[in-house]
């Protein structure tokens, strides 16, 4: 059990070293130094990059500043994905720090959502939680909570307060003992080469005959390509929170401990690095 | 078991993987990024500062650009500008120092004020503690007092209860006393009734006795008449003639008589061998006594009455011991001759009849009695009063007796009683041939006509009349009253002629008797302090006071008809014979 608590803490306090560089075509008064920052894996880009914005605004004139947006190696980074997911998906096996380019102009309307203020991030975050609870408990737990509990969840995330967040979140991780687990596991499988953004299906943690499902069972069911057969070399990595859990890890356990704060299990399937 | 191991393996794997990830991704870069950010901040600050200085410099440069000058001068002016800036900055610094000093000063003052306030607070707290202590003390006292009050109330209640109980007991006892007193009175009245019955019986016996003796005497006389007797015809005839002429046999004091036999009342038989006394009549030599000849115990109790017999030889005293004692005055002493008994209570007054052969005594047992002096025999008992008989006197014919009593009546006895209601308790009586004078409790002297049996006159005095006496020619009445005054009343004019009083003379009782001397020139009376006072009638002044021999109040005084002796009797059983020798 102490391990489980450690796992939760390690998941929450995970950081990614990032170097923010201003796009060279941005008009500056003088040269802007790059800005280094340890980004929290579980948060969202626009929530934690105020300092970045301030730093770069020092060297820019006010009339040249529009909405800030980020990109990595040409790919605009969706701010509504958790940072950890973005890194695992795009730059998992590259050298650290993660270099992100900061743009202030030419917002890509087609790829990114606008994020004018923090309440937008809050709305998105809370809707993810509700969706997850709908899958887990038919929305009973989240609906029984008071508004202040919802607020506490958001404030915990925003201010990086582990205890404050998990005081409420643990209720969302409970399940009736006779069930053996949640009703359905909230998960999303993200692929690098795909049209659709992610795979999300209904999947029970316990089989009808009482058998606990594992990560392997999920992948076999939903995206069997990810699992290499015995004779082939591994072609894909299944990354959650920057690590590759063993395929026999129980799905219920994964959902309880390795979910993001929005209660979803964000799984990245990336091509295995070829040395 | 296998599951456990399996569980551990994937969990362990996850844990290890997370740790490694952190190592690689976080720990390696954490410090560097932190220091980089600090440097960034510092450089930003430097730029800000340098920009501020540069802007100043630019301003100065701009100003100086307008006025042309050499480079040197520009340098100098630049240096001057720098110096000025330095001075300005130093002024700012001094100002700031001053301000800091002022603030420090105000801090000190505020500290001082705080200390004062603390002291005030402490003193107030001390006072409050003091007051609290006082309050506690007073509360203690209050409780004590309340406790005491409760105790006192309880005690009071107990006393009240006791008092009520005692009241009830007292009421009951009073009731008992009343009943007992009633019973007592009833018993006393019954006893008196029995006594009077006894007295009647005694009377009847006496009469029977008398009749027997008469019968015997008759027999003897009859026998004697048969014998020849030696007679002295002269005397007999003389006497008889006188007597028959007189009728009632009144003694005329002015005529010298040689022998006058006494007549017994109601007896028609001639003279009988009895001792006769020669009344000396008016005695001319009255002598005021000066010394006490004989002091003797006369009775066992109070001596109430004293009387010389008409012959001046015998003396009768009556006392509370129910006896009348007879004494003979022999050579300056009183020798006891005998005692007359028969009274059931104390003797109040004594009188001899004019012949001296009968003695009449009034008594407290509501009766008067007559004895013959010679043989001390009780002859008559006159009962009928319903109160103490205080005085009884023979009327001048010796045939009738008048008695005055406490029951406010006078009774006239003539072998049959006459009761006259006087209206007040009668203390003393004197008689003349027509008139009876009685002195009463109500301060009056009443004059009664015998034949009419009614009041002729009344005389009022200042005090209860205790004694009456007539002088020998019946012209003056001597009265003694409780206001300690002895008065002589002239009977003809009916006015007080003289009043005698003395410093120590106090009337001792309601029956204190005073007396004239036989010639009427002196008045003697006994006082409550045991002194015998003798006044001179002619001068009206106190002649002599004899106070040595009596130890208690003198009840009665009698002057011998010879004038030589005076006897006084007192409450304390004593009688004193006085004379002037």
């Amino acid at each position: 059990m102490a391990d489980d608590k450690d796992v939760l803490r390690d998941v929450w306090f995970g950081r990614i070293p990032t170097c923010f560089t201003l796009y060279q075509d941005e008009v500056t008064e003088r040269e802007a130094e790059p800005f280094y920052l340890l980004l929290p894996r579980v948060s969202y880009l626009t929530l934690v990059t105020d300092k970045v914005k301030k730093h770069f605004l020092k060297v820019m004139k006010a009339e040249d500043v529009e909405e800030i947006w980020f990109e990595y190696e040409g790919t605009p980074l969706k701010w509504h994905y958790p940072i950890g997911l973005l890194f695992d998906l795009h730059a998992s096996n590259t050298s650290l720090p993660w270099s992100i380019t900061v743009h202030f102009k030419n917002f890509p309307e087609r790829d990114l959502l606008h994020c004018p203020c923090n309440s937008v991030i809050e709305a998105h975050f809370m809707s993810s939680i509700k969706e997850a609870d709908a899958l887990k408990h038919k929305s009973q737990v989240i609906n029984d909570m008071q508004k202040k509990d919802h607020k506490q969840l958001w404030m915990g995330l925003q201010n990086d307060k582990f205890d404050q967040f998990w005081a409420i979140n643990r209720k969302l991780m409970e399940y009736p003992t006779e069930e053996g687990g949640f009703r359905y596991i909230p998960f999303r499988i993200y692929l690098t080469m795909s049209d659709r953004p992610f795979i999300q299906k209904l999947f029970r943690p316990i089989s009808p005959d009482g058998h606990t499902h594992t990560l392997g069972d999920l992948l076999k069911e939903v995206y069997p390509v990810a699992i290499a057969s015995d004779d082939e070399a591994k072609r894909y990595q299944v990354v959650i929170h920057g690590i590759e859990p063993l395929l026999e890890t129980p799905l219920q356990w994964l959902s309880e401990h390795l979910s993001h704060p929005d209660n979803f299990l964000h799984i990245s399937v990336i091509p295995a690095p070829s040395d | 078991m296998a599951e456990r191991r399996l569980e551990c393996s994937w969990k362990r794997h996850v844990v290890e993987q997370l740790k490694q990830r952190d190592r690689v991704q976080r720990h390696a870069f954490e410090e560097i990024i932190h220091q980089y950010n600090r440097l960034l901040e510092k450089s930003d600050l430097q730029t800000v500062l340098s920009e501020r200085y540069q802007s100043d410099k630019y301003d100065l440069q701009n100003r100086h650009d307008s006025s042309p000058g050499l480079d040197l001068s520009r340098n100098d002016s630049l240096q001057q500008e720098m110096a000025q800036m330095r001075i300005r900055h130093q002024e700012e610094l001094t100002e700031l120092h001053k301000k800091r000093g002022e603030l420090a000063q105000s801090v000190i003052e505020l500290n001082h004020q705080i200390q004062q306030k603390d002291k005030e607070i402490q003193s107030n707290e001390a006072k409050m503690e003091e007051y609290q202590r006082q309050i506690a003390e007073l509360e203690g006292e209050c409780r004590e007092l309340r406790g005491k009050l409760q105790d006192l109330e309880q005690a009071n209640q107990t006393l009240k209860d006791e008092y009520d109980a005692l009241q009830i007991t007292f009421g009951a006892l009073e009731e008992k006393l009343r009943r007992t007193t009633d019973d007592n009175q009833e018993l006393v009245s019954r006893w008196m009734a029995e006594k009077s019955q006894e007295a009647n019986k005694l009377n009847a016996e006496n009469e029977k006795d008398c009749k027997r003796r008469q019968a015997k005497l008759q027999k003897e006389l009859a026998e004697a008449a048969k014998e020849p007797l030696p007679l002295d015809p002269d005397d007999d005839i003389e006497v008889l003639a006188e007597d028959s002429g007189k009728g009632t046999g009144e003694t005329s004091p002015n005529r010298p008589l040689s022998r006058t036999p006494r007549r017994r009342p109601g007896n028609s038989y001639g003279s009988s061998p009895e001792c006769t006394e020669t009344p000396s009549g008016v005695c001319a030599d009255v002598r005021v006594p000066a010394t006490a000849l004989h002091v003797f115990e006369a009775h066992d109790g109070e001596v109430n009455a004293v009387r010389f017999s008409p012959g001046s030889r015998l003396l009768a005293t009556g006392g509370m011991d129910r006896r009348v004692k007879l004494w003979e005055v022999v050579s300056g002493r009183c020798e006891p001759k005998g005692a007359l008994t028969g009274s059931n209570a104390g003797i109040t007054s004594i009188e001899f009849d004019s012949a001296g052969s009968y003695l009449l005594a009034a008594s407290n047992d509501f009766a008067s009695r007559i004895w013959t002096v010679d043989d001390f025999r009780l002859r008559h008992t006159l009962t009928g009063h319903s109160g103490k008989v205080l005085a009884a006197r023979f009327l001048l014919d010796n045939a009738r007796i008048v008695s005055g009593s406490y029951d406010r009546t006078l009774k006239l006895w003539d072998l049959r009683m006459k009761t006259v209601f006087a209206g007040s308790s009668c203390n003393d009586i004197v008689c003349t041939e027509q008139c009876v004078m009685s002195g009463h409790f109500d301060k009056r002297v009443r004059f009664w006509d015998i034949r009419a049996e009614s009041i002729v006159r009344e005389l009022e005095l200042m005090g209860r009349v205790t004694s009456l006496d007539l002088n020998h020619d019946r012209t003056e009445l001597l009265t003694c009253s409780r206001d300690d005054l002895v008065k002589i009343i002239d009977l003809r004019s009916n006015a007080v002629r003289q009043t005698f009083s003395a410093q120590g003379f106090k009337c001792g009782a309601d029956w204190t008797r005073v007396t004239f001397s036989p010639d009427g020139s002196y008045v003697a009376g006994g006082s409550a302090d045991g002194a015998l006072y003798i006044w001179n009638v002619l001068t009206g002044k106190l002649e002599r006071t004899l106070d040595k021999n009596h130890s208690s109040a003198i009840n009665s005084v009698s002057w011998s008809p010879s004038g030589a002796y005076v006897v006084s009797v007192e409450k304390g059983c004593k009688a004193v014979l006085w004379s002037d020798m």
Side-chain angles (χ1 to χ4, degrees):
Chain A
M1 290 307 115
D3 282 343
D4 289 349
K5 206 73 191 308
D6 287 341
V7 166
L8 291 176
R9 291 192 90 90
D10 288 341
V11 162
W12 177 272
F13 287 110
R15 294 275 188 274
I16 298 173
T18 320
C19 175
F20 289 89
T21 322
L22 189 63
Y23 185 55
Q24 60 208 14
D25 286 349
E26 296 283 341
V27 178
T28 59
E29 291 179 351
R30 51 194 164 86
E31 194 181 335
E33 294 97 0
F35 194 79
Y36 288 87
L37 195 58
L38 281 172
L39 295 175
R41 273 181 167 274
V42 299
S43 190
Y44 300 91
L45 268 174
T46 42
L47 196 55
V48 296
T49 48
D50 285 333
K51 279 199 187 152
V52 175
K53 192 167 170 185
K54 219 192 317 181
H55 171 78
F56 289 117
L57 284 178
K58 277 189 288 203
V59 298
M60 298 188 69
K61 290 205 207 96
E63 59 268 20
D64 297 333
V65 170
E66 288 167 12
E67 188 168 345
I68 189 172
W69 58 280
F70 307 95
E71 58 98 352
Y72 171 72
E73 294 191 347
T75 321
L77 297 173
K78 302 187 201 303
W79 65 263
H80 60 278
Y81 282 9
I83 298 173
L85 171 65
L86 288 169
F87 177 76
D88 292 337
L89 206 52
H90 299 297
S92 173
N93 291 313
T94 61
S95 63
L96 294 170
W98 187 24
S99 298
I100 294 182
T101 317
V102 178
H103 293 261
F104 281 103
K105 281 188 146 28
N106 304 321
F107 192 85
E109 299 286 336
R110 300 183 60 153
D111 300 316
L112 295 182
L113 298 168
H114 281 281
C115 183
C117 61
N118 282 3
S119 53
V120 175
I121 314 174
E122 184 184 353
H124 167 71
F125 176 69
M126 290 314 297
S127 82
S128 295
I129 288 183
K130 285 176 187 169
E131 190 185 338
D133 199 55
L135 290 168
K136 288 198 279 189
H137 306 114
K138 289 202 259 190
S139 294
Q140 269 167 0
V141 178
I142 194 69
N143 286 342
D144 283 344
M145 280 187 197
Q146 296 174 346
K147 178 115 172 90
K148 67 176 172 79
D149 297 333
H150 298 175
K151 205 68 183 168
Q152 190 169 340
L153 286 169
W154 165 248
M155 297 307 285
L157 176 71
Q158 189 186 28
N159 300 327
D160 193 26
K161 296 264 192 271
F162 174 78
D163 296 308
Q164 188 180 8
F165 180 81
W166 272 99
I168 308 297
N169 201 41
R170 63 177 177 77
K171 291 186 207 160
L172 292 165
M173 292 303 176
E174 288 165 353
Y175 53 87
T177 36
E178 62 269 18
E179 303 276 320
F182 301 135
R183 194 152 174 270
Y184 296 107
I185 299 290
F187 67 93
R188 286 190 186 141
I189 301 179
Y190 297 85
L191 308 166
T192 44
M193 325 283 171
S194 177
D195 313 334
R196 42 187 197 163
F198 50 82
I199 304 170
Q200 183 174 345
K201 292 216 177 118
L202 291 176
F203 192 81
R204 289 186 188 277
I206 309 285
S207 70
D209 42 340
H211 188 68
T212 42
H213 285 143
T214 64
L215 183 59
D217 296 332
L218 172 71
L219 289 169
K220 250 190 266 180
E221 177 75 26
V222 170
Y223 191 62
V225 175
I227 302 175
S229 49
D230 290 334
D231 51 347
E232 286 179 337
K234 206 156 77 152
R235 278 202 287 141
Y236 294 100
Q237 274 181 317
V238 177
V239 181
I240 311 176
H241 279 298
I243 60 164
E244 282 187 77
L246 298 175
L247 291 174
E248 48 268 28
T249 317
L251 199 56
Q252 176 64 29
W253 188 90
L254 280 174
S255 178
E256 286 173 33
H257 296 87
L258 254 62
S259 294
H260 280 256
D262 60 356
N263 281 235
F264 265 93
L265 207 57
H266 297 286
I267 305 169
S268 319
V269 176
I270 52 173
S274 52
D275 304 318
Chain B
M1 257 332 228
E3 274 185 24
R4 188 76 55 76
R5 256 187 275 127
L6 209 62
E7 181 188 295
C8 291
S9 69
W10 53 256
K11 205 186 271 191
R12 253 188 290 123
H13 174 78
V14 166
V15 171
E16 278 168 18
Q17 284 275 299
L18 283 171
K19 292 264 189 290
Q20 200 197 351
R21 176 203 77 181
D22 281 342
R23 264 205 305 275
V24 168
Q25 292 180 2
R26 180 178 177 156
H27 298 308
F29 292 89
E30 207 168 358
E31 191 62 29
I32 282 181
I33 290 176
H34 177 61
Q35 293 295 344
Y36 174 82
N37 286 332
R38 275 184 65 193
L39 278 171
L40 213 57
E41 276 175 31
K42 269 196 203 160
S43 81
D44 283 342
L45 193 62
Q46 292 284 4
T47 22
V48 165
L49 282 174
S50 65
E51 269 180 17
R52 204 193 294 165
Y53 282 130
Q54 275 196 357
S55 69
D56 283 349
K57 212 165 69 173
Y58 281 141
D59 281 343
L60 289 166
Q61 276 190 348
N62 287 342
R63 259 188 263 128
H64 278 283
D65 276 339
S66 60
S67 59
L70 298 166
D71 288 337
L72 279 170
S73 65
R74 214 187 300 155
N75 279 340
D76 279 341
S77 63
L78 265 175
Q79 278 184 1
Q80 273 184 12
E81 298 301 334
M82 297 299 287
Q84 271 187 4
M85 230 180 359
R86 220 182 296 132
I87 287 168
R88 219 180 330 136
H89 285 143
Q90 274 187 353
E91 281 174 10
E92 268 186 57
L93 197 63
T94 45
E95 250 190 66
L96 286 171
H97 275 303
K98 217 186 344 173
K99 243 192 225 163
R100 197 183 68 173
E102 282 171 12
L103 286 172
Q105 181 68 27
S106 68
V107 162
I108 287 171
E109 273 179 27
L110 286 170
N111 271 347
H112 185 62
Q113 279 184 5
I114 284 175
Q115 276 181 5
Q116 276 192 341
K117 291 278 184 274
D118 277 341
K119 264 193 227 150
E120 273 184 39
I121 286 174
Q122 269 186 3
S123 71
N124 282 344
E125 277 184 5
K127 271 191 216 159
M128 263 173 50
E129 274 185 29
E130 177 73 28
Y131 291 145
Q132 295 259 33
R133 204 175 44 75
Q134 277 187 356
I135 285 173
E137 267 184 39
L138 289 170
E139 276 183 3
E141 269 186 51
C142 195
R143 263 182 271 121
E144 266 184 49
L145 288 171
R146 268 199 224 114
K148 272 192 206 162
L149 181 69
Q150 271 186 353
D151 291 340
L152 284 172
E153 276 182 5
Q154 277 182 0
N156 190 29
Q157 191 60 38
T158 327
L159 285 171
K160 274 194 195 152
D161 294 337
E162 276 180 27
Y163 174 71
D164 288 336
L166 285 170
Q167 278 276 56
I168 293 171
T169 322
F170 173 67
L173 286 173
E174 259 194 335
E175 184 63 28
K176 223 162 111 176
L177 174 70
R178 200 182 48 77
R179 268 189 267 124
T180 317
T181 320
D182 289 343
D183 287 343
N184 183 36
Q185 277 188 347
E186 202 196 305
L187 287 170
V188 162
S189 59
R190 258 196 268 157
W191 181 50
M192 292 319 311
E194 301 239 356
K195 283 279 178 199
S196 67
Q197 274 186 354
E198 267 189 45
N200 284 340
K201 265 196 252 164
L202 214 57
N203 272 348
E205 274 187 34
N206 280 341
E207 282 200 27
K208 261 200 266 174
D209 203 34
C210 204
K211 283 206 181 98
R212 238 190 314 114
R213 263 187 274 127
Q214 270 187 24
K216 207 170 84 179
L217 215 52
Q218 272 182 333
K219 256 201 337 215
E220 282 178 8
L221 279 174
E223 283 175 17
K226 291 194 190 118
E227 296 175 15
L229 284 168
L231 288 170
D232 192 347
D234 296 309
D235 287 328
D236 259 325
I237 290 166
E238 256 186 64
V239 167
L240 278 165
E242 275 186 27
D243 283 348
S244 59
K246 280 285 183 235
T248 46
E250 206 179 292
T251 327
S252 175
N254 283 327
R255 251 197 297 160
L257 292 169
S258 51
R259 244 194 316 184
T260 310
R262 260 181 169 233
R263 268 213 196 206
R264 268 194 297 171
N267 188 5
S268 53
Y269 288 94
S271 60
S272 49
E274 288 174 354
C275 71
T276 59
E277 289 178 44
T278 313
S280 46
V282 179
C283 178
D285 54 342
V286 172
R287 299 198 293 278
V288 180
T291 55
L293 285 181
H294 188 198
V295 181
F296 56 98
E297 293 278 333
H299 284 269
D300 292 337
E302 277 188 37
V303 188
N304 281 338
V306 64
R307 192 72 71 178
F308 269 105
S309 71
S312 296
R313 285 257 326 259
L314 275 180
L315 176 64
T317 59
M320 291 304 280
D321 63 346
R322 313 193 301 269
R323 270 186 267 272
V324 179
K325 287 197 179 153
L326 292 168
W327 311 85
E328 195 166 17
V329 182
V330 171
S331 64
R333 289 182 57 82
C334 295
E335 301 296 329
K337 252 198 87 182
L340 305 174
T341 57
S343 176
N344 297 319
I347 308 289
T348 56
S349 96
I350 298 177
E351 195 185 53
F352 286 95
D353 72 338
S354 55
S357 50
Y358 290 99
L359 189 142
L360 169 64
S363 160
N364 278 341
D365 65 349
F366 313 165
S368 318
R369 287 177 184 73
I370 302 172
W371 292 264
T372 40
V373 177
D374 300 326
D375 54 0
F376 315 132
R377 271 216 158 123
L378 176 65
R379 295 291 169 178
H380 298 279
T381 307
L382 309 173
T383 55
H385 275 295
S386 47
K388 303 188 274 208
V389 186
L390 296 168
R393 298 277 183 267
F394 285 103
L395 289 180
L396 283 176
D397 59 354
N398 293 335
R400 288 177 290 181
I401 289 154
V402 64
S403 59
S405 155
Y406 183 75
D407 66 0
R408 296 177 292 221
T409 63
L410 297 173
K411 282 195 197 286
L412 190 61
W413 307 85
D414 193 14
L415 294 180
R416 64 174 201 278
M417 288 182 330
K418 271 228 162 62
T419 304
V420 181
F421 188 69
S424 170
S425 169
C426 172
N427 284 337
D428 204 354
I429 301 176
V430 292
C431 314
T432 61
E433 52 266 278
Q434 301 103 329
C435 190
V436 170
M437 284 156 265
S438 57
H440 290 266
F441 187 88
D442 63 347
K443 312 177 197 168
R444 284 183 208 200
V445 179
R446 291 185 171 83
F447 298 80
W448 303 83
D449 184 29
I450 297 298
R451 281 181 277 273
E453 289 160 15
S454 59
I455 296 176
V456 174
R457 254 200 319 257
E458 272 186 16
L459 199 64
E460 182 149 337
L461 297 178
M462 308 301 263
R464 302 196 279 273
V465 184
T466 69
S467 168
L468 295 172
D469 198 14
L470 284 169
N471 66 347
H472 74 277
D473 58 353
R474 314 255 188 295
T475 55
E476 288 169 351
L477 179 67
L478 177 71
T479 67
C480 174
S481 50
R482 275 318 282 275
D483 60 342
D484 309 329
L485 296 175
V486 179
K487 296 191 170 136
I488 293 184
I489 300 168
D490 190 354
L491 288 174
R492 284 183 290 251
S493 60
N494 223 29
V496 176
R497 219 193 62 183
Q498 250 177 328
T499 306
F500 302 105
S501 65
Q503 180 78 23
F505 176 71
K506 288 199 187 5
C507 216
D510 275 2
W511 48 84
T512 303
R513 306 270 188 243
V514 299
T515 183
F516 271 118
S517 65
D519 62 346
S521 52
Y522 295 100
V523 167
S527 159
D529 58 349
L532 185 63
Y533 291 81
I534 300 172
W535 291 269
N536 189 326
V537 172
L538 292 169
T539 64
K541 298 236 178 14
L542 183 66
E543 183 82 14
R544 197 162 291 171
T545 310
L546 305 166
D547 57 354
K548 292 292 188 320
N549 300 95
H550 276 291
S551 52
S552 58
I554 295 176
N555 274 335
S556 188
V557 181
S558 184
W559 210 306
S560 74
S562 63
Y565 302 103
V566 174
V567 171
S568 59
V569 293
E570 66 161 36
K571 236 178 181 163
C573 330
K574 277 210 289 238
V576 178
L577 177 69
W578 305 84
S579 184
D580 63 340
M581 286 157 325

